[in-house]
mmCIF file of all heavy atoms in Angstrom:
data_model
loop_
_atom_site.group_PDB
_atom_site.id
_atom_site.type_symbol
_atom_site.label_atom_id
_atom_site.label_comp_id
_atom_site.label_asym_id
_atom_site.label_seq_id
_atom_site.Cartn_x
_atom_site.Cartn_y
_atom_site.Cartn_z
ATOM 1 N N ASP A 1 -4.615 -5.730 -1.881
ATOM 2 C CA ASP A 1 -4.122 -6.408 -3.068
ATOM 3 C C ASP A 1 -4.219 -5.389 -4.295
ATOM 4 O O ASP A 1 -3.359 -5.312 -5.102
ATOM 5 C CB ASP A 1 -4.707 -7.584 -3.410
ATOM 6 C CG ASP A 1 -4.321 -8.778 -2.472
ATOM 7 O OD1 ASP A 1 -3.325 -8.493 -1.686
ATOM 8 O OD2 ASP A 1 -4.966 -9.821 -2.533
ATOM 9 N N SER A 2 -5.407 -4.747 -4.334
ATOM 10 C CA SER A 2 -5.581 -3.771 -5.428
ATOM 11 C C SER A 2 -4.719 -2.599 -5.393
ATOM 12 O O SER A 2 -4.252 -1.979 -6.394
ATOM 13 C CB SER A 2 -7.077 -3.410 -5.506
ATOM 14 O OG SER A 2 -7.623 -2.617 -4.442
ATOM 15 N N ILE A 3 -4.505 -2.125 -4.201
ATOM 16 C CA ILE A 3 -3.544 -0.993 -3.981
ATOM 17 C C ILE A 3 -2.102 -1.369 -4.558
ATOM 18 O O ILE A 3 -1.467 -0.630 -5.299
ATOM 19 C CB ILE A 3 -3.468 -0.480 -2.495
ATOM 20 C CG1 ILE A 3 -4.713 0.139 -2.157
ATOM 21 C CG2 ILE A 3 -2.201 0.487 -2.393
ATOM 22 C CD1 ILE A 3 -4.926 0.475 -0.659
ATOM 23 N N GLU A 4 -1.849 -2.634 -4.165
ATOM 24 C CA GLU A 4 -0.381 -3.136 -4.637
ATOM 25 C C GLU A 4 -0.330 -3.310 -6.081
ATOM 26 O O GLU A 4 0.581 -2.986 -6.835
ATOM 27 C CB GLU A 4 -0.128 -4.571 -3.974
ATOM 28 C CG GLU A 4 -0.195 -4.555 -2.449
ATOM 29 C CD GLU A 4 1.203 -4.285 -1.823
ATOM 30 O OE1 GLU A 4 2.299 -4.089 -2.489
ATOM 31 O OE2 GLU A 4 1.275 -4.542 -0.713
ATOM 32 N N LYS A 5 -1.486 -3.763 -6.685
ATOM 33 C CA LYS A 5 -1.602 -4.021 -8.168
ATOM 34 C C LYS A 5 -1.509 -2.654 -8.946
ATOM 35 O O LYS A 5 -0.793 -2.592 -9.800
ATOM 36 C CB LYS A 5 -2.947 -4.662 -8.529
ATOM 37 C CG LYS A 5 -3.165 -5.037 -9.845
ATOM 38 C CD LYS A 5 -4.533 -5.654 -10.143
ATOM 39 C CE LYS A 5 -4.597 -6.254 -11.547
ATOM 40 N NZ LYS A 5 -5.852 -7.099 -11.635
ATOM 41 N N ILE A 6 -2.265 -1.620 -8.414
ATOM 42 C CA ILE A 6 -2.031 -0.456 -9.110
ATOM 43 C C ILE A 6 -0.646 0.088 -8.940
ATOM 44 O O ILE A 6 -0.047 0.748 -9.872
ATOM 45 C CB ILE A 6 -3.121 0.708 -8.468
ATOM 46 C CG1 ILE A 6 -4.477 0.187 -8.907
ATOM 47 C CG2 ILE A 6 -2.932 2.006 -9.048
ATOM 48 C CD1 ILE A 6 -5.713 0.950 -8.220
ATOM 49 N N GLY A 7 -0.036 0.031 -7.745
ATOM 50 C CA GLY A 7 1.338 0.374 -7.507
ATOM 51 C C GLY A 7 2.282 -0.214 -8.566
ATOM 52 O O GLY A 7 3.178 0.492 -9.212
ATOM 53 N N LYS A 8 1.953 -1.469 -8.805
ATOM 54 C CA LYS A 8 2.893 -2.327 -9.728
ATOM 55 C C LYS A 8 2.709 -1.664 -11.129
ATOM 56 O O LYS A 8 3.675 -1.393 -11.851
ATOM 57 C CB LYS A 8 2.500 -3.712 -9.620
ATOM 58 C CG LYS A 8 3.592 -4.615 -10.181
ATOM 59 C CD LYS A 8 3.205 -6.044 -9.948
ATOM 60 C CE LYS A 8 3.735 -6.580 -8.698
ATOM 61 N NZ LYS A 8 3.665 -7.980 -8.305
ATOM 62 N N LEU A 9 1.443 -1.548 -11.456
ATOM 63 C CA LEU A 9 1.143 -0.974 -12.923
ATOM 64 C C LEU A 9 1.772 0.313 -13.171
ATOM 65 O O LEU A 9 2.230 0.560 -14.339
ATOM 66 C CB LEU A 9 -0.425 -0.775 -13.043
ATOM 67 C CG LEU A 9 -1.250 -2.085 -13.356
ATOM 68 C CD1 LEU A 9 -2.614 -1.642 -13.123
ATOM 69 C CD2 LEU A 9 -0.962 -2.531 -14.699
ATOM 70 N N ILE A 10 1.893 1.129 -12.216
ATOM 71 C CA ILE A 10 2.349 2.544 -12.413
ATOM 72 C C ILE A 10 3.857 2.725 -11.984
ATOM 73 O O ILE A 10 4.360 3.884 -11.846
ATOM 74 C CB ILE A 10 1.543 3.578 -11.872
ATOM 75 C CG1 ILE A 10 1.536 3.525 -10.420
ATOM 76 C CG2 ILE A 10 0.078 3.516 -12.396
ATOM 77 C CD1 ILE A 10 0.790 4.641 -9.674
ATOM 78 N N GLY A 11 4.488 1.650 -11.718
ATOM 79 C CA GLY A 11 5.886 1.782 -11.218
ATOM 80 C C GLY A 11 6.169 2.304 -9.793
ATOM 81 O O GLY A 11 7.174 3.052 -9.601
ATOM 82 N N LYS A 12 5.163 2.302 -8.991
ATOM 83 C CA LYS A 12 5.295 2.744 -7.588
ATOM 84 C C LYS A 12 4.980 1.606 -6.532
ATOM 85 O O LYS A 12 4.164 1.811 -5.734
ATOM 86 C CB LYS A 12 4.342 3.991 -7.445
ATOM 87 C CG LYS A 12 4.750 5.117 -8.211
ATOM 88 C CD LYS A 12 3.936 6.339 -7.910
ATOM 89 C CE LYS A 12 4.435 7.639 -8.642
ATOM 90 N NZ LYS A 12 5.398 8.387 -7.918
ATOM 91 N N GLU A 13 5.761 0.542 -6.758
ATOM 92 C CA GLU A 13 5.531 -0.654 -5.855
ATOM 93 C C GLU A 13 5.925 -0.402 -4.472
ATOM 94 O O GLU A 13 5.216 -0.587 -3.518
ATOM 95 C CB GLU A 13 6.340 -1.822 -6.333
ATOM 96 C CG GLU A 13 5.836 -2.417 -7.672
ATOM 97 C CD GLU A 13 6.620 -3.578 -8.261
ATOM 98 O OE1 GLU A 13 6.772 -4.604 -7.455
ATOM 99 O OE2 GLU A 13 7.279 -3.310 -9.258
ATOM 100 N N LYS A 14 7.012 0.432 -4.229
ATOM 101 C CA LYS A 14 7.325 0.761 -2.809
ATOM 102 C C LYS A 14 6.354 1.652 -2.216
ATOM 103 O O LYS A 14 5.912 1.419 -1.005
ATOM 104 C CB LYS A 14 8.765 1.329 -2.704
ATOM 105 C CG LYS A 14 9.214 1.528 -1.397
ATOM 106 C CD LYS A 14 10.449 2.436 -1.139
ATOM 107 C CE LYS A 14 10.867 2.468 0.324
ATOM 108 N NZ LYS A 14 9.788 3.047 1.100
ATOM 109 N N GLU A 15 5.893 2.617 -2.901
ATOM 110 C CA GLU A 15 4.926 3.607 -2.375
ATOM 111 C C GLU A 15 3.613 2.828 -1.959
ATOM 112 O O GLU A 15 2.922 3.198 -0.967
ATOM 113 C CB GLU A 15 4.538 4.702 -3.366
ATOM 114 C CG GLU A 15 5.736 5.654 -3.614
ATOM 115 C CD GLU A 15 6.715 5.284 -4.766
ATOM 116 O OE1 GLU A 15 6.774 4.057 -4.983
ATOM 117 O OE2 GLU A 15 7.391 6.159 -5.331
ATOM 118 N N ALA A 16 3.271 1.870 -2.896
ATOM 119 C CA ALA A 16 1.945 1.105 -2.620
ATOM 120 C C ALA A 16 2.167 0.241 -1.457
ATOM 121 O O ALA A 16 1.326 0.144 -0.495
ATOM 122 C CB ALA A 16 1.674 0.241 -3.888
ATOM 123 N N THR A 17 3.335 -0.363 -1.178
ATOM 124 C CA THR A 17 3.563 -1.235 -0.090
ATOM 125 C C THR A 17 3.506 -0.244 1.260
ATOM 126 O O THR A 17 2.906 -0.586 2.235
ATOM 127 C CB THR A 17 4.895 -1.817 -0.103
ATOM 128 O OG1 THR A 17 4.886 -2.680 -1.253
ATOM 129 C CG2 THR A 17 5.127 -2.829 1.095
ATOM 130 N N ASP A 18 4.087 0.838 1.173
ATOM 131 C CA ASP A 18 4.084 1.794 2.194
ATOM 132 C C ASP A 18 2.796 2.246 2.639
ATOM 133 O O ASP A 18 2.333 2.437 3.825
ATOM 134 C CB ASP A 18 5.012 3.069 1.956
ATOM 135 C CG ASP A 18 6.508 2.771 1.858
ATOM 136 O OD1 ASP A 18 6.807 1.579 2.342
ATOM 137 O OD2 ASP A 18 7.299 3.589 1.415
ATOM 138 N N LEU A 19 1.885 2.510 1.610
ATOM 139 C CA LEU A 19 0.444 2.887 1.787
ATOM 140 C C LEU A 19 -0.332 1.851 2.453
ATOM 141 O O LEU A 19 -1.006 2.073 3.460
ATOM 142 C CB LEU A 19 -0.153 3.323 0.460
ATOM 143 C CG LEU A 19 -1.513 3.641 0.520
ATOM 144 C CD1 LEU A 19 -1.926 4.819 1.426
ATOM 145 C CD2 LEU A 19 -2.177 4.103 -0.850
ATOM 146 N N VAL A 20 -0.232 0.571 2.015
ATOM 147 C CA VAL A 20 -0.853 -0.562 2.691
ATOM 148 C C VAL A 20 -0.338 -0.631 4.194
ATOM 149 O O VAL A 20 -1.243 -0.703 5.051
ATOM 150 C CB VAL A 20 -0.543 -1.810 1.890
ATOM 151 C CG1 VAL A 20 -1.111 -3.112 2.824
ATOM 152 C CG2 VAL A 20 -1.222 -1.796 0.537
ATOM 153 N N ASP A 21 0.917 -0.494 4.409
ATOM 154 C CA ASP A 21 1.407 -0.593 5.770
ATOM 155 C C ASP A 21 0.793 0.543 6.751
ATOM 156 O O ASP A 21 0.539 0.304 7.816
ATOM 157 C CB ASP A 21 2.949 -0.481 5.778
ATOM 158 C CG ASP A 21 3.631 -1.706 5.303
ATOM 159 O OD1 ASP A 21 2.886 -2.810 5.237
ATOM 160 O OD2 ASP A 21 4.797 -1.764 4.934
ATOM 161 N N SER A 22 0.762 1.741 6.106
ATOM 162 C CA SER A 22 0.237 2.859 6.958
ATOM 163 C C SER A 22 -1.246 2.660 7.189
ATOM 164 O O SER A 22 -1.742 3.036 8.328
ATOM 165 C CB SER A 22 0.464 4.177 6.172
ATOM 166 O OG SER A 22 -0.510 4.426 5.282
ATOM 167 N N ILE A 23 -1.970 2.011 6.326
ATOM 168 C CA ILE A 23 -3.335 1.758 6.561
ATOM 169 C C ILE A 23 -3.503 0.731 7.569
ATOM 170 O O ILE A 23 -4.305 1.002 8.608
ATOM 171 C CB ILE A 23 -4.138 1.262 5.186
ATOM 172 C CG1 ILE A 23 -4.189 2.417 4.153
ATOM 173 C CG2 ILE A 23 -5.517 0.843 5.532
ATOM 174 C CD1 ILE A 23 -4.623 1.963 2.719
ATOM 175 N N LYS A 24 -2.826 -0.220 7.499
ATOM 176 C CA LYS A 24 -2.784 -1.409 8.544
ATOM 177 C C LYS A 24 -2.383 -0.800 9.923
ATOM 178 O O LYS A 24 -3.048 -1.075 10.925
ATOM 179 C CB LYS A 24 -1.799 -2.604 8.107
ATOM 180 C CG LYS A 24 -2.425 -3.291 7.043
ATOM 181 C CD LYS A 24 -1.498 -4.446 6.706
ATOM 182 C CE LYS A 24 -2.063 -5.337 5.579
ATOM 183 N NZ LYS A 24 -0.971 -6.345 5.001
ATOM 184 N N ASN A 25 -1.421 0.100 9.886
ATOM 185 C CA ASN A 25 -1.032 0.639 11.291
ATOM 186 C C ASN A 25 -2.100 1.463 11.877
ATOM 187 O O ASN A 25 -2.406 1.493 12.993
ATOM 188 C CB ASN A 25 0.206 1.530 11.092
ATOM 189 C CG ASN A 25 1.443 0.787 10.758
ATOM 190 O OD1 ASN A 25 1.549 -0.424 11.146
ATOM 191 N ND2 ASN A 25 2.565 1.295 10.167
ATOM 192 N N LYS A 26 -2.799 2.336 10.957
ATOM 193 C CA LYS A 26 -3.962 3.197 11.494
ATOM 194 C C LYS A 26 -5.002 2.164 11.985
ATOM 195 O O LYS A 26 -5.641 2.522 13.077
ATOM 196 C CB LYS A 26 -4.432 3.973 10.301
ATOM 197 C CG LYS A 26 -5.615 4.869 10.613
ATOM 198 C CD LYS A 26 -5.120 6.051 11.735
ATOM 199 C CE LYS A 26 -6.352 6.776 12.040
ATOM 200 N NZ LYS A 26 -5.980 7.726 13.293
ATOM 201 N N PHE A 27 -5.288 1.127 11.277
ATOM 202 C CA PHE A 27 -6.318 0.238 11.681
ATOM 203 C C PHE A 27 -5.971 -0.340 13.216
ATOM 204 O O PHE A 27 -6.838 -0.432 14.028
ATOM 205 C CB PHE A 27 -6.434 -1.060 10.807
ATOM 206 C CG PHE A 27 -7.220 -0.773 9.560
ATOM 207 C CD1 PHE A 27 -7.158 -1.698 8.532
ATOM 208 C CD2 PHE A 27 -7.938 0.256 9.367
ATOM 209 C CE1 PHE A 27 -7.949 -1.522 7.294
ATOM 210 C CE2 PHE A 27 -8.773 0.523 8.306
ATOM 211 C CZ PHE A 27 -8.647 -0.421 7.142
ATOM 212 N N ASN A 28 -4.601 -0.815 13.269
ATOM 213 C CA ASN A 28 -4.193 -1.309 14.646
ATOM 214 C C ASN A 28 -4.425 -0.252 15.729
ATOM 215 O O ASN A 28 -4.820 -0.525 16.862
ATOM 216 C CB ASN A 28 -2.745 -1.753 14.548
ATOM 217 C CG ASN A 28 -2.599 -3.025 13.704
ATOM 218 O OD1 ASN A 28 -3.524 -3.701 13.643
ATOM 219 N ND2 ASN A 28 -1.424 -3.164 13.125
ATOM 220 N N GLU A 29 -4.030 0.970 15.421
ATOM 221 C CA GLU A 29 -4.191 2.024 16.366
ATOM 222 C C GLU A 29 -5.678 2.235 16.874
ATOM 223 O O GLU A 29 -5.934 2.369 18.120
ATOM 224 C CB GLU A 29 -3.920 3.310 15.590
ATOM 225 C CG GLU A 29 -3.317 4.453 16.537
ATOM 226 C CD GLU A 29 -3.022 5.667 15.469
ATOM 227 O OE1 GLU A 29 -1.940 5.551 14.777
ATOM 228 O OE2 GLU A 29 -3.682 6.625 15.441
#
């Protein structure tokens, strides 16, 4: 949530969502 929040604050919402997804993918791996 904090990554998404920072992304929203700085106008990089898509990048933040992508970053969260990539972290989750790595966790799954």
Side-chain angles (χ1 to χ4, degrees):
D1 290 347
S2 66
I3 293 172
E4 304 263 10
K5 183 176 187 176
I6 290 171
K8 197 173 277 190
L9 278 169
I10 63 171
K12 288 186 176 273
E13 287 176 65
K14 187 192 180 299
E15 290 88 338
T17 303
D18 290 347
L19 176 56
V20 168
D21 287 343
S22 79
I23 294 170
K24 287 178 178 174
N25 289 339
K26 182 68 182 164
F27 281 167
N28 289 335
E29 205 179 288

